[in-house]
Amino acid sequence: MDVGSLARTILGFVAIVAIGWGLKRVGLLRAEDSRPINNIIVYVALPALIFQAVHPARLEPNLALIAALAWAVFVASAALAWAACRFLGVSRPVAGGFILAAALGNTGYIGYPVALAVLGDRGLVRAIFYDVFGTVAALLFVGLFVAQRLGSSDERVNPFREAVLFPAVLALFAALALRSVAIPDVVSSGLDSLASLVVPLIMISVGLSLRFGSVRDHAVPLAALVAIRLVVAPLVALGVGTVVLDDPDAVRLVVLQAGMPAMMLTLVIGARFKLDTDFIASAILVTTVLSVVTIPLMQLVAVA
């Protein structure tokens, strides 16, 4: 896929976000309606997408390295985000949202379809391992504690329980366990239909959560977050990936995934632990819009 086609793909995602926002503006949906939509995505559509991608795929040794690289990007991004929050003196609820949004990219909802479009089926399988064993694992084992520490909720988390019960993880292990089992066509067709819901539903959910005034209110922290999420993170992936990976397409994949906009699940986590969800929604909006430019640019750097 050329740079122009990649930019058009991401712009298509942004257009669906705008539809969600428009539905809220005209009163057909409310911001609160994003919660049941998120539940459909997390518990139904996303597991179907992961199962359908991994079940027939040929696995490779590089997948473990790709997951390890995801952790390296997360650690570097989280450390920079924490330092930026200290320097800017933001409130604890904003800091929690800042660290999550800066360190955790949208490597599933946007990463999967973009990886498939850019690098094909093999790229999608690599993107899933980067996402589930990297981004999702980092969210469950570190991100939840950050949200709990900086939010005002009294809820306590057990990361091992969260990981075992997380639908995306269950779907991945089910796909691996059933690789030798032929899936009936009627079941496979149904799973394909459910998987196709992921992108439009999550984009509409983000549109329902947006409040543009928050972008103006948090202009400086958002600028710092954009720099970390869309520029520094993919450059870290490129530097480390070039050293440890021997496949140029694998390097392109980790750069692609590392440069994804802010993870949309951070909005769900922010609401759960009472972080500043206006800030998180603004971070998702700004990084998603700007990623139309930065993702193609970073791909050009990766292949240079």
Side-chain angles (χ1 to χ4, degrees):
M1 174 179 282
D2 59 34
V3 173
S5 297
L6 177 55
R8 286 191 294 273
T9 298
I10 300 171
L11 276 174
F13 298 154
V14 174
I16 303 175
V17 172
I19 290 172
W21 179 80
L23 291 172
K24 181 177 70 171
R25 291 289 294 175
V26 301
L28 292 176
L29 291 175
R30 302 172 299 165
E32 294 78 10
D33 292 328
S34 63
R35 182 171 183 178
I37 293 175
N38 288 337
N39 286 338
I40 293 172
I41 296 164
V42 172
Y43 292 99
V44 180
L46 186 59
L49 175 65
I50 291 173
F51 185 91
Q52 287 298 84
V54 173
H55 181 265
R58 182 177 64 85
L59 304 184
E60 55 181 300
N62 266 350
L63 294 174
L65 287 175
I66 287 170
L69 274 166
W71 272 96
V73 171
F74 168 78
V75 170
S77 301
L80 283 173
W82 175 82
C85 289
R86 292 291 297 267
F87 178 77
L88 295 171
V90 299
S91 67
R92 290 173 66 87
V94 170
F98 188 114
I99 294 170
L100 293 182
L104 297 166
N106 195 347
T107 54
Y109 299 146
I110 296 181
Y112 291 177
V114 174
L116 178 62
V118 176
L119 297 167
D121 291 337
R122 191 178 186 188
L124 175 58
V125 173
R126 288 169 166 174
I128 288 171
F129 274 76
Y130 185 109
D131 175 60
V132 174
F133 290 111
T135 306
V136 172
L139 169 66
L140 296 176
F141 287 99
V142 181
L144 290 179
F145 281 112
V146 171
Q148 175 186 294
R149 179 81 174 177
L150 297 176
S152 56
S153 173
D154 294 329
E155 182 177 354
R156 294 293 179 265
V157 296
N158 181 328
F160 294 99
R161 180 178 180 276
E162 298 275 352
V164 169
L165 298 179
F166 196 73
V169 176
L170 292 175
L172 176 59
F173 283 120
L176 294 173
L178 297 174
R179 281 174 57 79
S180 61
V181 178
I183 305 300
D185 289 342
V186 64
V187 175
S188 182
S189 177
L191 291 174
D192 285 338
S193 297
L194 292 173
S196 68
L197 298 175
V198 171
V199 173
L201 285 183
I202 194 62
M203 298 299 174
I204 288 173
S205 177
V206 170
L208 294 175
S209 304
L210 293 179
R211 189 176 71 84
F212 286 96
S214 182
V215 176
R216 296 190 299 270
D217 297 341
H218 299 289
V220 174
L222 284 172
L225 188 150
V226 165
I228 296 170
R229 176 92 299 278
L230 298 182
V231 179
V232 175
L235 289 178
V236 170
L238 177 60
V240 180
T242 301
V243 174
V244 303
L245 295 172
D246 56 5
D247 182 348
D249 281 345
V251 175
R252 287 188 65 194
L253 183 280
V254 296
V255 172
L256 184 74
Q257 287 287 68
M260 285 294 136
M263 187 184 196
M264 294 177 186
L265 274 179
T266 58
L267 192 62
V268 178
I269 300 302
R272 176 179 170 183
F273 290 96
K274 299 182 181 179
L275 299 175
D276 190 323
T277 51
D278 281 346
F279 177 81
I280 296 173
S282 297
I284 293 171
L285 170 66
V286 172
T287 55
T288 300
V289 171
L290 292 180
S291 70
V292 175
V293 176
T294 59
I295 289 176
L297 286 177
M298 288 299 164
Q299 284 298 291
L300 288 175
V301 173
V303 299

